[in-house]
Amino acid sequence: MLCEVCGKNQAFIYYEEKVKHQVRKIHLCRECASKEGISSVFAESYFNISDIITSLSGGVKPDEASGKQAVCKHCGTTYEEFIKSGLLGCCQCYNYLEDSLKPLFRRIHGSTHHTGKAFPNSIKPEVCDDELVDLEEQLKQAVAREEFELAAELRDRLRSLKNQCSPSDLAGTPEKRNNVSDK
Amino acid sequence: MFQISDLFHRVSGWLAQPDKNQSSIVISSRVRLARNLTDFNFTNCNPPEKQDEVIRLIENSLADSKLFAEATLWRLSDLTSVERQFLLERQLISRKLVMNHNYAAVAVERSENFSFMVNEEDHLRLQTIRAGLSLGEAYRIIDTVDSELGDRLNFGFSTRYGYLTACPTNTGTGLRASVMVHLPALVKSKQIRKILPAVSRFNLAIRGIFGEGTDVMGNLFQISNQLTLGKNELETIDNIEQIAHKLIGYEEETRVLLLEDQKRKLPDQIWRAYGTLKYARNLNLTEAMELISLIRLGIDLGIITQVSYSCLNKILLFIHSSHLLLKSGVGSELSHSKVNTMRADFMREELE
Ligand SMILES: [Zn+2]
Ligand SMILES: [Zn+2]
């Protein structure tokens, strides 16, 4: 097998990446592997992320029902373009392409809601009802399909979300932030 | 302000002071955050003059902060290709940033406590690396840096999706936490083939360079999180630390078995590696990394006592070609064989 980087020398080493049950390998010759050194071990990914996006979005057909192409009115990026490159064009894409992105988020992250640090200048988190309904629906389906491991995980998430959504904590994230920066 | 040449002769701060109480199986911990400015298109859709504006805005926000007093920003277009390669070897920039070198910049804190890339896939990629297993500490540092920048810049953030990133695989926390682990015993005993798939079931990604037979690149692996939406920062870090502790445990158990099994062979291999590193006149990177791996194992097992971890960490950086070149005052690329000679010379000096 020839080295997939230079295409000239015989490959004898391979770089391997396991992400989400997908194993990807790239075969390298001694010279190319030498050039990479630890930097390739430390790289975020040797592979184009669009491959992952494309494979994950396989079942998601954009706007099949409405018949029109989803496009971001701010930067002009279409869903098709996004699937090809794996990259969105601007922050507004998250609004304009939301319907197509949601199922993708679920496949990539198993979630469609952020739970971490909040940006201080942003408005306070919207009520989580939306996600609660979402999760309860997923839980019902998981139980119906007898995927109990998934169901247990969803139940845990529901529980922690319900705690988070208690009114006292709704605007709690900015405070958390301040504590950290005081250190 | 400091010059890029100030970095040529010393090791990164985080490598210089490895924690003595730590297992050396986890070599380093890295945390990075992806952030974008809400008023600009993401880098791939941002025209050159706007990319320049992004750099200027970020440069300005550095100017009035105490936290950033020791940080310097370089435009990649002002650096030579060897200098860019040097920053790449140092893990301060990525290959993707180099590809955008006409419009990209990097800011580095003097002792490399933190750094950030400007106009990578996202406008900002903040990063910090620590020695050993210390993701929590790394996150605390980068969290402070992020908050300081957030006071000065308007980040793209949605209450539902969190930090908005160019690629949906980073949306939410924008956090990628990773550890670099050294697993020679698991590789030697071929146990690694069973263990790595088990790790990937925890929504973690594993990267490594494998070879046939004994040809394994330094026995180094990187474990990183995959989920950024729906898991908060501390959960994410916790998850990786737990797996890292498990890996340390497996590796340590396997070392005991390996040493029992190869009572003569293993010390012999380790001493031969030491001899080769100390006296070779020509060393390529792959070979050097294999030998360093054996010596690290030798120190861990108490077989080798004349080399310190910090010396080994320094070597791990300086065996890379641009480090060798710039340290010797060579500003342009040399042939492989010349670099191999320089590498061997460097090694002899260090192990003297
Ligand atoms: Zn090659
Ligand atoms: Zn857009």
Side-chain angles (χ1 to χ4, degrees):
Chain A
M1 174 155 211
L2 287 181
C3 168
E4 292 172 68
V5 173
C6 64
K8 280 185 271 179
N9 307 327
Q10 197 64 34
F12 85 108
I13 264 181
Y14 62 93
Y15 169 84
E16 186 176 304
E17 188 174 297
K18 280 199 192 72
V19 180
K20 288 231 152 205
H21 312 292
Q22 287 186 27
V23 180
R24 285 168 298 165
K25 291 180 184 178
I26 183 164
H27 290 80
L28 305 165
C29 66
R30 191 180 272 272
E31 214 158 276
C32 289
S34 246
K35 255 185 250 157
E36 299 300 329
I38 49 171
S39 58
S40 61
V41 179
F42 237 136
E44 292 220 343
S45 176
Y46 209 93
F47 301 90
N48 211 333
I49 206 78
S50 63
D51 299 346
I52 309 179
I53 301 287
T54 312
S55 68
L56 283 173
S57 64
V60 187
K61 294 262 158 39
D63 299 302
E64 237 172 14
S66 65
K68 63 171 194 277
Q69 165 89 292
V71 57
C72 170
K73 288 190 179 126
H74 183 258
C75 73
T77 299
T78 65
Y79 184 71
E80 305 272 285
E81 284 170 337
F82 157 64
I83 290 299
K84 263 189 213 133
S85 70
L87 296 174
L88 295 162
C90 73
C91 294
Q92 297 300 321
C93 287
Y94 281 84
N95 292 327
Y96 290 112
L97 305 179
E98 187 171 15
D99 292 342
S100 319
L101 286 174
K102 246 192 218 173
L104 190 62
F105 281 129
R106 196 160 293 135
R107 280 167 193 237
I108 298 174
H109 300 286
S111 168
T112 56
H113 277 76
H114 176 57
T115 56
K117 182 176 180 177
F119 186 59
N121 302 341
S122 68
I123 43 168
K124 73 178 194 178
E126 66 192 59
V127 187
C128 311
D129 283 358
D130 196 13
E131 185 176 15
L132 284 177
V133 175
D134 226 60
L135 272 175
E136 269 157 8
E137 180 55 33
Q138 283 187 62
L139 177 59
K140 229 184 278 168
Q141 286 177 12
V143 173
R145 287 194 306 263
E146 300 189 7
E147 294 175 22
F148 297 117
E149 222 171 289
L150 177 68
E153 201 182 296
L154 289 168
R155 200 168 298 129
D156 285 350
R157 225 188 297 154
L158 254 172
R159 204 169 293 147
S160 81
L161 193 67
K162 277 180 180 155
N163 290 336
Q164 263 178 46
C165 286
S166 64
S168 63
D169 200 37
L170 250 187
T173 339
E175 286 160 35
K176 228 194 276 170
R177 194 198 140 254
N178 286 338
N179 290 341
V180 174
S181 51
D182 282 343
K183 273 182 200 165
Chain B
M1 285 286 279
F2 65 103
Q3 303 297 314
I4 189 165
S5 54
D6 293 342
L7 302 176
F8 295 169
H9 299 278
R10 60 177 172 84
V11 299
S12 320
W14 61 271
L15 265 179
Q17 304 135 349
D19 186 343
K20 290 211 171 54
N21 302 317
Q22 282 244 10
S23 152
S24 87
I25 292 172
V26 178
I27 296 181
S28 60
S29 302
R30 177 164 83 159
V31 166
R32 76 106 166 104
L33 294 174
R35 298 290 185 255
N36 285 283
L37 307 185
T38 186
D39 301 326
F40 296 84
N41 286 351
F42 296 145
T43 306
N44 69 96
C45 282
N46 206 21
E49 65 278 9
K50 288 282 183 186
Q51 291 199 42
D52 221 55
E53 213 178 311
V54 169
I55 298 181
R56 276 200 304 275
L57 264 174
I58 288 165
E59 199 171 20
N60 290 342
S61 65
L62 296 185
D64 69 337
S65 159
K66 246 193 187 159
L67 186 63
F68 300 133
E70 296 289 316
T72 302
L73 181 138
W74 297 299
R75 283 174 168 74
L76 260 54
S77 53
D78 294 337
L79 305 178
T80 67
S81 71
V82 177
E83 286 171 334
R84 283 180 214 139
Q85 181 67 30
F86 170 84
L87 292 174
L88 197 65
E89 293 169 0
R90 200 93 168 195
Q91 294 154 29
L92 291 170
I93 62 174
S94 67
R95 197 167 280 103
K96 207 168 216 165
L97 195 79
V98 175
M99 269 151 56
N100 189 30
H101 65 253
N102 285 326
Y103 309 108
V106 59
V108 180
E109 193 265 346
R110 184 182 287 272
S111 26
E112 293 168 65
N113 278 321
F114 60 84
S115 61
F116 33 95
M117 294 188 271
V118 184
N119 291 333
E120 217 252 19
E121 183 179 290
D122 298 296
H123 296 140
L124 268 169
R125 287 278 176 100
L126 320 174
Q127 160 183 285
T128 183
I129 309 179
R130 313 300 298 165
L133 182 56
S134 48
L135 284 174
E137 193 200 340
Y139 179 69
R140 268 193 300 282
I141 296 172
I142 213 62
D143 180 42
T144 311
V145 170
D146 172 51
S147 299
E148 186 86 354
L149 283 168
D151 288 341
R152 292 162 172 77
L153 299 163
N154 204 5
F155 289 154
F157 182 87
S158 119
T159 48
R160 171 155 188 166
Y161 297 114
Y163 289 94
L164 305 177
T165 55
C167 183
T169 53
N170 294 315
T171 308
T173 57
L175 170 74
R176 193 73 74 221
S178 62
V179 288
M180 183 153 74
V181 287
H182 179 235
L183 307 173
L186 289 172
V187 171
K188 270 180 187 296
S189 64
K190 303 209 164 44
Q191 292 293 311
I192 198 85
R193 286 270 153 236
K194 285 182 213 152
I195 284 167
L196 292 189
V199 173
S200 69
R201 243 176 280 135
F202 292 89
N203 286 314
L204 299 174
I206 303 131
R207 308 192 163 80
I209 297 174
F210 299 83
E212 272 125 45
T214 54
D215 283 321
V216 179
M217 190 83 150
N219 298 319
L220 296 174
F221 299 87
Q222 187 215 53
I223 316 282
S224 64
N225 67 299
Q226 285 306 296
L227 308 186
T228 54
L229 196 60
K231 288 248 183 299
N232 72 32
E233 291 82 0
L234 297 180
E235 286 170 332
T236 303
I237 282 169
D238 225 49
N239 190 15
I240 299 177
E241 293 214 324
Q242 279 178 25
I243 296 296
H245 281 297
K246 282 220 172 80
L247 284 174
I248 292 172
Y250 291 140
E251 171 70 18
E252 279 172 347
E253 282 168 30
T254 315
R255 284 179 183 187
V256 173
L257 296 175
L258 195 71
L259 199 56
E260 268 171 29
D261 194 45
Q262 308 187 354
K263 221 171 275 170
R264 283 168 207 273
K265 198 175 151 204
L266 192 60
D268 180 63
Q269 273 183 335
I270 288 168
W271 281 115
R272 277 166 188 270
Y274 181 71
T276 309
L277 268 189
K278 195 165 175 179
Y279 295 109
R281 293 299 194 262
N282 186 333
L283 272 175
N284 73 39
L285 183 65
T286 316
E287 185 184 7
M289 286 189 48
E290 283 163 24
L291 298 172
I292 290 169
S293 170
L294 275 167
I295 291 184
R296 187 179 291 274
L297 179 62
I299 304 175
D300 289 349
L301 294 175
I303 294 171
I304 286 188
T305 51
Q306 48 273 79
V307 184
S308 67
Y309 287 126
S310 54
C311 170
L312 212 58
N313 285 345
K314 180 183 177 190
I315 289 173
L316 200 57
L317 264 187
F318 278 86
I319 53 169
H320 287 80
S321 59
S322 297
H323 271 76
L324 290 168
L325 291 174
L326 292 172
K327 184 179 168 289
S328 318
V330 182
S332 56
E333 287 188 46
L334 293 179
S335 71
H336 269 294
S337 62
K338 285 212 175 100
V339 174
N340 289 348
T341 309
M342 288 172 84
R343 185 174 293 119
D345 291 346
F346 167 76
M347 211 63 86
R348 284 205 307 282
E349 272 168 43
E350 285 304 310
L351 296 180
E352 208 30 72

PDB file of all heavy atoms in Angstrom, chain B residues 239-259:
ATOM      1  N   ASN B 239     -15.450  13.215  32.761  1.00  0.00           N
ATOM      2  CA  ASN B 239     -15.554  12.007  31.951  1.00  0.00           C
ATOM      3  C   ASN B 239     -14.176  11.563  31.446  1.00  0.00           C
ATOM      4  O   ASN B 239     -13.797  10.394  31.562  1.00  0.00           O
ATOM      5  CB  ASN B 239     -16.494  12.328  30.777  1.00  0.00           C
ATOM      6  CG  ASN B 239     -16.871  11.088  29.999  1.00  0.00           C
ATOM      7  OD1 ASN B 239     -16.678   9.969  30.472  1.00  0.00           O
ATOM      8  ND2 ASN B 239     -17.389  11.279  28.797  1.00  0.00           N
ATOM      9  N   ILE B 240     -13.408  12.505  30.924  1.00  0.00           N
ATOM     10  CA  ILE B 240     -12.088  12.169  30.398  1.00  0.00           C
ATOM     11  C   ILE B 240     -11.142  11.772  31.525  1.00  0.00           C
ATOM     12  O   ILE B 240     -10.374  10.813  31.401  1.00  0.00           O
ATOM     13  CB  ILE B 240     -11.492  13.346  29.605  1.00  0.00           C
ATOM     14  CG1 ILE B 240     -12.401  13.659  28.412  1.00  0.00           C
ATOM     15  CG2 ILE B 240     -10.085  13.025  29.119  1.00  0.00           C
ATOM     16  CD1 ILE B 240     -11.942  14.832  27.609  1.00  0.00           C
ATOM     17  N   GLU B 241     -11.205  12.515  32.642  1.00  0.00           N
ATOM     18  CA  GLU B 241     -10.295  12.192  33.752  1.00  0.00           C
ATOM     19  C   GLU B 241     -10.556  10.778  34.272  1.00  0.00           C
ATOM     20  O   GLU B 241      -9.624  10.044  34.595  1.00  0.00           O
ATOM     21  CB  GLU B 241     -10.423  13.234  34.866  1.00  0.00           C
ATOM     22  CG  GLU B 241      -9.903  14.596  34.406  1.00  0.00           C
ATOM     23  CD  GLU B 241      -9.238  15.389  35.518  1.00  0.00           C
ATOM     24  OE1 GLU B 241      -9.707  15.306  36.655  1.00  0.00           O
ATOM     25  OE2 GLU B 241      -8.243  16.094  35.231  1.00  0.00           O
ATOM     26  N   GLN B 242     -11.829  10.405  34.342  1.00  0.00           N
ATOM     27  CA  GLN B 242     -12.151   9.056  34.814  1.00  0.00           C
ATOM     28  C   GLN B 242     -11.553   7.992  33.905  1.00  0.00           C
ATOM     29  O   GLN B 242     -10.969   7.017  34.366  1.00  0.00           O
ATOM     30  CB  GLN B 242     -13.669   8.873  34.887  1.00  0.00           C
ATOM     31  CG  GLN B 242     -14.266   9.461  36.148  1.00  0.00           C
ATOM     32  CD  GLN B 242     -15.778   9.308  36.167  1.00  0.00           C
ATOM     33  OE1 GLN B 242     -16.322   8.412  35.527  1.00  0.00           O
ATOM     34  NE2 GLN B 242     -16.442  10.171  36.890  1.00  0.00           N
ATOM     35  N   ILE B 243     -11.727   8.206  32.607  1.00  0.00           N
ATOM     36  CA  ILE B 243     -11.179   7.243  31.650  1.00  0.00           C
ATOM     37  C   ILE B 243      -9.657   7.234  31.729  1.00  0.00           C
ATOM     38  O   ILE B 243      -9.019   6.180  31.672  1.00  0.00           O
ATOM     39  CB  ILE B 243     -11.631   7.578  30.209  1.00  0.00           C
ATOM     40  CG1 ILE B 243     -13.150   7.451  30.104  1.00  0.00           C
ATOM     41  CG2 ILE B 243     -10.937   6.695  29.192  1.00  0.00           C
ATOM     42  CD1 ILE B 243     -13.684   6.066  30.320  1.00  0.00           C
ATOM     43  N   ALA B 244      -9.071   8.419  31.901  1.00  0.00           N
ATOM     44  CA  ALA B 244      -7.609   8.496  31.997  1.00  0.00           C
ATOM     45  C   ALA B 244      -7.129   7.691  33.205  1.00  0.00           C
ATOM     46  O   ALA B 244      -6.153   6.939  33.102  1.00  0.00           O
ATOM     47  CB  ALA B 244      -7.158   9.953  32.110  1.00  0.00           C
ATOM     48  N   HIS B 245      -7.826   7.808  34.338  1.00  0.00           N
ATOM     49  CA  HIS B 245      -7.444   7.031  35.518  1.00  0.00           C
ATOM     50  C   HIS B 245      -7.539   5.535  35.251  1.00  0.00           C
ATOM     51  O   HIS B 245      -6.681   4.758  35.670  1.00  0.00           O
ATOM     52  CB  HIS B 245      -8.318   7.413  36.719  1.00  0.00           C
ATOM     53  CG  HIS B 245      -7.883   8.693  37.371  1.00  0.00           C
ATOM     54  ND1 HIS B 245      -6.644   8.829  37.964  1.00  0.00           N
ATOM     55  CD2 HIS B 245      -8.485   9.891  37.512  1.00  0.00           C
ATOM     56  CE1 HIS B 245      -6.525  10.056  38.436  1.00  0.00           C
ATOM     57  NE2 HIS B 245      -7.629  10.722  38.167  1.00  0.00           N
ATOM     58  N   LYS B 246      -8.583   5.136  34.521  1.00  0.00           N
ATOM     59  CA  LYS B 246      -8.729   3.722  34.168  1.00  0.00           C
ATOM     60  C   LYS B 246      -7.548   3.257  33.323  1.00  0.00           C
ATOM     61  O   LYS B 246      -6.969   2.206  33.567  1.00  0.00           O
ATOM     62  CB  LYS B 246     -10.030   3.499  33.380  1.00  0.00           C
ATOM     63  CG  LYS B 246     -11.271   3.474  34.241  1.00  0.00           C
ATOM     64  CD  LYS B 246     -12.233   2.383  33.744  1.00  0.00           C
ATOM     65  CE  LYS B 246     -13.381   2.209  34.716  1.00  0.00           C
ATOM     66  NZ  LYS B 246     -14.407   3.257  34.537  1.00  0.00           N
ATOM     67  N   LEU B 247      -7.198   4.081  32.330  1.00  0.00           N
ATOM     68  CA  LEU B 247      -6.092   3.718  31.446  1.00  0.00           C
ATOM     69  C   LEU B 247      -4.790   3.611  32.224  1.00  0.00           C
ATOM     70  O   LEU B 247      -3.992   2.705  32.007  1.00  0.00           O
ATOM     71  CB  LEU B 247      -5.949   4.752  30.322  1.00  0.00           C
ATOM     72  CG  LEU B 247      -6.983   4.663  29.197  1.00  0.00           C
ATOM     73  CD1 LEU B 247      -6.812   5.820  28.234  1.00  0.00           C
ATOM     74  CD2 LEU B 247      -6.849   3.343  28.445  1.00  0.00           C
ATOM     75  N   ILE B 248      -4.574   4.547  33.157  1.00  0.00           N
ATOM     76  CA  ILE B 248      -3.372   4.504  33.994  1.00  0.00           C
ATOM     77  C   ILE B 248      -3.334   3.171  34.740  1.00  0.00           C
ATOM     78  O   ILE B 248      -2.315   2.484  34.772  1.00  0.00           O
ATOM     79  CB  ILE B 248      -3.356   5.674  35.002  1.00  0.00           C
ATOM     80  CG1 ILE B 248      -3.165   7.009  34.266  1.00  0.00           C
ATOM     81  CG2 ILE B 248      -2.246   5.494  36.033  1.00  0.00           C
ATOM     82  CD1 ILE B 248      -3.325   8.234  35.159  1.00  0.00           C
ATOM     83  N   GLY B 249      -4.486   2.806  35.302  1.00  0.00           N
ATOM     84  CA  GLY B 249      -4.572   1.541  36.033  1.00  0.00           C
ATOM     85  C   GLY B 249      -4.229   0.340  35.162  1.00  0.00           C
ATOM     86  O   GLY B 249      -3.397  -0.488  35.538  1.00  0.00           O
ATOM     87  N   TYR B 250      -4.838   0.255  33.991  1.00  0.00           N
ATOM     88  CA  TYR B 250      -4.568  -0.855  33.063  1.00  0.00           C
ATOM     89  C   TYR B 250      -3.093  -0.890  32.679  1.00  0.00           C
ATOM     90  O   TYR B 250      -2.457  -1.938  32.658  1.00  0.00           O
ATOM     91  CB  TYR B 250      -5.385  -0.718  31.775  1.00  0.00           C
ATOM     92  CG  TYR B 250      -6.862  -0.929  31.937  1.00  0.00           C
ATOM     93  CD1 TYR B 250      -7.772  -0.124  31.258  1.00  0.00           C
ATOM     94  CD2 TYR B 250      -7.355  -1.958  32.747  1.00  0.00           C
ATOM     95  CE1 TYR B 250      -9.134  -0.313  31.396  1.00  0.00           C
ATOM     96  CE2 TYR B 250      -8.719  -2.148  32.886  1.00  0.00           C
ATOM     97  CZ  TYR B 250      -9.601  -1.315  32.211  1.00  0.00           C
ATOM     98  OH  TYR B 250     -10.945  -1.499  32.338  1.00  0.00           O
ATOM     99  N   GLU B 251      -2.567   0.294  32.363  1.00  0.00           N
ATOM    100  CA  GLU B 251      -1.171   0.362  31.924  1.00  0.00           C
ATOM    101  C   GLU B 251      -0.243  -0.109  33.049  1.00  0.00           C
ATOM    102  O   GLU B 251       0.675  -0.892  32.813  1.00  0.00           O
ATOM    103  CB  GLU B 251      -0.836   1.794  31.485  1.00  0.00           C
ATOM    104  CG  GLU B 251       0.643   2.078  31.209  1.00  0.00           C
ATOM    105  CD  GLU B 251       1.210   1.401  29.960  1.00  0.00           C
ATOM    106  OE1 GLU B 251       0.425   0.980  29.087  1.00  0.00           O
ATOM    107  OE2 GLU B 251       2.452   1.267  29.900  1.00  0.00           O
ATOM    108  N   GLU B 252      -0.519   0.340  34.271  1.00  0.00           N
ATOM    109  CA  GLU B 252       0.347  -0.037  35.393  1.00  0.00           C
ATOM    110  C   GLU B 252       0.294  -1.545  35.659  1.00  0.00           C
ATOM    111  O   GLU B 252       1.328  -2.185  35.865  1.00  0.00           O
ATOM    112  CB  GLU B 252      -0.033   0.759  36.648  1.00  0.00           C
ATOM    113  CG  GLU B 252       0.585   2.155  36.617  1.00  0.00           C
ATOM    114  CD  GLU B 252       0.103   3.074  37.738  1.00  0.00           C
ATOM    115  OE1 GLU B 252      -0.900   2.727  38.401  1.00  0.00           O
ATOM    116  OE2 GLU B 252       0.728   4.131  37.926  1.00  0.00           O
ATOM    117  N   GLU B 253      -0.920  -2.108  35.618  1.00  0.00           N
ATOM    118  CA  GLU B 253      -1.051  -3.567  35.811  1.00  0.00           C
ATOM    119  C   GLU B 253      -0.267  -4.320  34.745  1.00  0.00           C
ATOM    120  O   GLU B 253       0.434  -5.289  35.033  1.00  0.00           O
ATOM    121  CB  GLU B 253      -2.521  -3.990  35.694  1.00  0.00           C
ATOM    122  CG  GLU B 253      -3.356  -3.692  36.922  1.00  0.00           C
ATOM    123  CD  GLU B 253      -4.848  -3.854  36.618  1.00  0.00           C
ATOM    124  OE1 GLU B 253      -5.210  -4.674  35.748  1.00  0.00           O
ATOM    125  OE2 GLU B 253      -5.642  -3.136  37.251  1.00  0.00           O
ATOM    126  N   THR B 254      -0.419  -3.852  33.515  1.00  0.00           N
ATOM    127  CA  THR B 254       0.240  -4.540  32.410  1.00  0.00           C
ATOM    128  C   THR B 254       1.756  -4.435  32.520  1.00  0.00           C
ATOM    129  O   THR B 254       2.480  -5.358  32.157  1.00  0.00           O
ATOM    130  CB  THR B 254      -0.238  -3.958  31.065  1.00  0.00           C
ATOM    131  OG1 THR B 254      -1.649  -3.817  31.117  1.00  0.00           O
ATOM    132  CG2 THR B 254       0.132  -4.865  29.915  1.00  0.00           C
ATOM    133  N   ARG B 255       2.240  -3.315  33.052  1.00  0.00           N
ATOM    134  CA  ARG B 255       3.688  -3.156  33.219  1.00  0.00           C
ATOM    135  C   ARG B 255       4.245  -4.195  34.194  1.00  0.00           C
ATOM    136  O   ARG B 255       5.313  -4.752  33.957  1.00  0.00           O
ATOM    137  CB  ARG B 255       4.014  -1.752  33.732  1.00  0.00           C
ATOM    138  CG  ARG B 255       3.900  -0.715  32.648  1.00  0.00           C
ATOM    139  CD  ARG B 255       4.206   0.671  33.145  1.00  0.00           C
ATOM    140  NE  ARG B 255       4.001   1.619  32.051  1.00  0.00           N
ATOM    141  CZ  ARG B 255       4.309   2.905  32.122  1.00  0.00           C
ATOM    142  NH1 ARG B 255       4.821   3.391  33.229  1.00  0.00           N
ATOM    143  NH2 ARG B 255       4.108   3.695  31.090  1.00  0.00           N
ATOM    144  N   VAL B 256       3.503  -4.423  35.263  1.00  0.00           N
ATOM    145  CA  VAL B 256       3.946  -5.419  36.244  1.00  0.00           C
ATOM    146  C   VAL B 256       4.067  -6.783  35.577  1.00  0.00           C
ATOM    147  O   VAL B 256       5.076  -7.484  35.701  1.00  0.00           O
ATOM    148  CB  VAL B 256       2.960  -5.470  37.441  1.00  0.00           C
ATOM    149  CG1 VAL B 256       3.326  -6.619  38.370  1.00  0.00           C
ATOM    150  CG2 VAL B 256       2.961  -4.141  38.179  1.00  0.00           C
ATOM    151  N   LEU B 257       3.011  -7.143  34.807  1.00  0.00           N
ATOM    152  CA  LEU B 257       3.023  -8.435  34.117  1.00  0.00           C
ATOM    153  C   LEU B 257       4.153  -8.506  33.096  1.00  0.00           C
ATOM    154  O   LEU B 257       4.845  -9.514  32.985  1.00  0.00           O
ATOM    155  CB  LEU B 257       1.676  -8.654  33.406  1.00  0.00           C
ATOM    156  CG  LEU B 257       0.458  -8.752  34.322  1.00  0.00           C
ATOM    157  CD1 LEU B 257      -0.821  -8.852  33.504  1.00  0.00           C
ATOM    158  CD2 LEU B 257       0.599  -9.957  35.245  1.00  0.00           C
ATOM    159  N   LEU B 258       4.318  -7.414  32.396  1.00  0.00           N
ATOM    160  CA  LEU B 258       5.331  -7.372  31.346  1.00  0.00           C
ATOM    161  C   LEU B 258       6.730  -7.553  31.931  1.00  0.00           C
ATOM    162  O   LEU B 258       7.564  -8.275  31.388  1.00  0.00           O
ATOM    163  CB  LEU B 258       5.226  -6.031  30.612  1.00  0.00           C
ATOM    164  CG  LEU B 258       5.950  -5.913  29.280  1.00  0.00           C
ATOM    165  CD1 LEU B 258       5.250  -6.737  28.222  1.00  0.00           C
ATOM    166  CD2 LEU B 258       6.012  -4.453  28.841  1.00  0.00           C
ATOM    167  N   LEU B 259       6.954  -6.907  33.056  1.00  0.00           N
ATOM    168  CA  LEU B 259       8.270  -6.980  33.679  1.00  0.00           C
ATOM    169  C   LEU B 259       8.541  -8.382  34.227  1.00  0.00           C
ATOM    170  O   LEU B 259       9.671  -8.872  34.175  1.00  0.00           O
ATOM    171  CB  LEU B 259       8.371  -5.934  34.800  1.00  0.00           C
ATOM    172  CG  LEU B 259       9.776  -5.561  35.262  1.00  0.00           C
ATOM    173  CD1 LEU B 259      10.616  -5.065  34.088  1.00  0.00           C
ATOM    174  CD2 LEU B 259       9.719  -4.480  36.326  1.00  0.00           C
TER     175      LEU B 259
END
